[in-house]
Amino acid sequence: MSGGAALDPYDHAYLAGGEQRVMESAIIALVERGTLSLRAARLRVVDAEHPPHPVERAVIAACPRSKRVEEVFADLRHCEELDALVRRLVHLGLVRNWPRRPTRTGRRQLAAASEGTLPAYVLEGTSALAPGPVRAGLHGAHTLPDGLGRTLRRMGKALEDDSDTTGGGHSCGGGDGGGGGD
């Protein structure tokens, strides 16, 4: 690591879980401080705090009124603040430029930090949270893209419908050896 630059919790969050972990950590920190409210997978700003970290400011800017967590994630996925954080980690030699994964030095830095005073959610993600609205709201936000999600749901429903038939009705594969040439 060049110059012995100190890493903040969001740098460690990136090393531990990438962009998703950074966004989750920022939301959790803001909810814990009372700046954001998270209910039913919707974020709402409740305090006019101007947080010092750019990623936290980006989260607040992404939800000026009540907004679904997954929409906030989509807005933040390629925000300048998150890109700047990653560029800094690349510059420090902690993350490869492409694919953006931790280097050996980055993994060592993360291992050393795990013994420190970082909040558990930074290293472990939402699984470190106690059951409640924040964990449920963030956990439910990991959805598939709309088109793919709809397609997979339809496929699952079709498979469920086919497997529910008993007796001489329609079943997957059929018994006539025809196989259907799709």
Side-chain angles (χ1 to χ4, degrees):
M1 194 164 87
S2 64
L7 299 182
D8 66 31
Y10 298 112
D11 296 329
H12 287 102
Y14 189 89
L15 292 172
E19 290 179 349
Q20 185 72 29
R21 182 72 51 82
V22 173
M23 293 182 291
E24 290 171 351
S25 295
I27 290 170
I28 294 167
L30 290 166
V31 168
E32 284 183 348
R33 290 199 312 257
T35 303
L36 286 180
S37 168
L38 176 57
R39 300 278 187 266
R42 295 190 73 81
L43 285 169
R44 183 173 55 89
V45 177
V46 293
D47 185 14
E49 173 195 9
H50 186 73
H53 200 280
V55 172
E56 291 179 351
R57 288 193 301 269
V59 169
I60 289 172
C63 52
R65 57 192 173 283
S66 181
K67 195 169 191 179
R68 290 182 9 221
V69 173
E70 60 197 32
E71 291 174 12
V72 173
F73 283 162
D75 290 349
L76 294 175
R77 189 130 340 257
H78 299 290
C79 74
E80 178 58 33
E81 294 82 359
L82 198 51
D83 288 341
L85 181 144
V86 176
R87 281 193 307 270
R88 178 175 173 267
L89 293 174
V90 168
H91 178 73
L92 291 172
L94 301 175
V95 172
R96 287 181 189 85
N97 193 26
W98 190 257
R100 291 183 163 183
R101 293 191 183 133
T103 61
R104 181 177 296 148
T105 306
R107 289 189 300 272
R108 272 192 237 122
Q109 192 73 12
L110 183 62
S114 65
E115 301 165 4
T117 59
L118 291 171
Y121 59 80
V122 168
L123 301 173
E124 300 169 33
T126 57
S127 63
L129 299 175
V134 176
R135 182 176 178 171
L138 289 173
H139 185 68
H142 300 290
T143 58
L144 296 170
D146 283 340
L148 178 60
R150 269 190 232 117
T151 301
L152 291 174
R153 279 191 296 272
R154 270 186 262 142
M155 289 172 59
K157 178 126 176 77
L159 290 173
E160 286 174 6
D161 290 346
D162 285 347
S163 66
D164 285 342
T165 60
T166 56
H170 175 73
S171 64
C172 281
D176 62 1
D182 286 353

